[in-house]
Amino acid sequence: MENQHILSAFDRDLEAVQAMVVKMGGLVEAQIVDAATALETRDEELAEAVRKRDKAVDKLEEQINAEAAQLIALRAPTASDLRIALSVIKISGNLERVGDYSKNIAKRTKVLLQMQQVNGSTSALRRMALAVEGMLKDAIDSYIQRDEKLAADVRSRDIEIDQMYNALFREFLTYMLEDPRNITACMHLHFIAKNIERMGDLATSIAEQVIYLVTGEIPDDERPKSEGVTLANHPEI
């Protein structure tokens, strides 16, 4: 009876930590959408709100890590429960980094407001960001549902984000070559695109953690990747 009582307490604590991860995922999803919207609509107030809200994301990660570490230290979990506790720490870390990238986009948005707009670029960046937000939502859903197939689908969609990034990069190069006055703004836009591409990588990492949680094994095949372009290929810039 005592062991059953301890087990129930452990299960409750583990569920509470996982609920915090889901809450954190929702906060970060909103950060992505708001950062992209602020960029497209040139909304300085919304960009500042995204920047300020990053502290809540950071605080939640710290709380999740502390409680998960305490669970591991005090409860001596079985192998399957240990996987859950470890996945909580890794997923919250990935979410925190996505939040950081959203904050970075908001910061660059405030700088870009002082510059002339580059045709259509912010709309394309918002579409890319929303695609990543969709990946992240599905990754969190796959975690809640322990859905290995949905996690694998998220993992396969990372190549689409890479392709969108490469297309934007080429577009920014064209704008810079056509008019040197676009260079500074396009460099900022490029870094935003790179931030969004990295968010896609982090959503994919969360999906891989779900696969590990369900199967006990991290996928050992290489992620599908689109061949990239770099500034090194264009010395004229």
Side-chain angles (χ1 to χ4, degrees):
M1 182 69 70
E2 183 179 350
N3 287 341
Q4 184 64 41
H5 176 74
I6 292 172
L7 180 62
S8 297
F10 175 80
D11 289 342
R12 285 195 301 271
D13 290 345
L14 196 56
E15 286 177 7
V17 175
Q18 291 184 93
M20 284 192 286
V21 171
V22 175
K23 177 182 177 181
M24 187 178 181
L27 289 176
V28 172
E29 286 173 35
Q31 287 285 82
I32 296 172
V33 173
D34 286 349
T37 300
L39 175 66
E40 183 180 27
T41 61
R42 299 175 71 82
D43 188 334
E44 185 173 4
E45 186 176 330
L46 183 58
E48 180 62 15
V50 170
R51 190 188 67 79
K52 288 182 177 178
R53 291 200 309 252
D54 185 60
K55 291 180 181 178
V57 174
D58 292 345
K59 186 175 180 179
L60 199 49
E61 188 214 8
E62 291 173 5
Q63 186 179 358
I64 289 168
N65 287 348
E67 297 200 16
Q70 187 174 34
L71 272 177
I72 294 170
L74 299 181
R75 303 292 193 183
T78 62
S80 60
D81 287 337
L82 180 61
R83 280 208 304 272
I84 296 174
L86 292 174
S87 70
V88 159
I89 293 171
K90 291 184 178 180
I91 289 172
S92 66
N94 285 328
L95 289 172
E96 190 275 334
R97 289 176 64 196
V98 174
D100 282 346
Y101 285 131
S102 298
K103 179 181 68 174
N104 290 345
I105 291 170
K107 286 181 176 179
R108 289 188 185 274
T109 293
K110 296 182 74 173
V111 175
L112 284 164
L113 290 177
Q114 313 306 317
M115 302 177 189
Q116 184 175 335
Q117 282 186 282
V118 178
N119 293 339
S121 57
T122 54
S123 296
L125 285 166
R126 184 171 185 271
R127 286 193 297 272
M128 184 180 174
L130 291 180
V132 167
E133 188 268 339
M135 285 177 64
L136 184 62
K137 181 181 183 301
D138 285 347
I140 296 298
D141 285 348
S142 73
Y143 176 72
I144 296 169
Q145 300 160 15
R146 300 295 193 263
D147 189 334
E148 179 189 356
K149 289 185 178 179
L150 181 56
D153 177 67
V154 171
R155 190 170 183 263
S156 70
R157 276 148 57 189
D158 188 46
I159 191 171
E160 299 172 12
I161 304 303
D162 292 341
Q163 290 167 345
M164 294 171 80
Y165 166 74
N166 289 337
L168 277 168
F169 186 80
R170 292 187 178 96
E171 188 175 320
F172 295 148
L173 283 176
T174 300
Y175 287 138
M176 288 189 283
L177 290 170
E178 287 178 349
D179 188 346
R181 290 174 297 181
N182 289 329
I183 289 176
T184 301
C186 282
M187 291 299 291
H188 282 290
L189 291 167
H190 165 251
F191 281 120
I192 288 173
K194 191 63 182 175
N195 285 168
I196 298 170
E197 188 268 336
R198 291 278 171 82
M199 290 180 186
D201 288 341
L202 292 165
T204 302
S205 294
I206 292 172
E208 289 175 342
Q209 280 299 313
V210 174
I211 294 171
Y212 166 70
L213 188 57
V214 174
T215 67
E217 296 180 358
I218 290 285
D220 58 4
D221 58 314
E222 289 189 9
R223 297 178 186 177
K225 280 289 179 184
S226 176
E227 185 176 347
V229 289
T230 67
L231 283 173
N233 302 134
H234 298 269
E236 64 271 30
I237 299 301

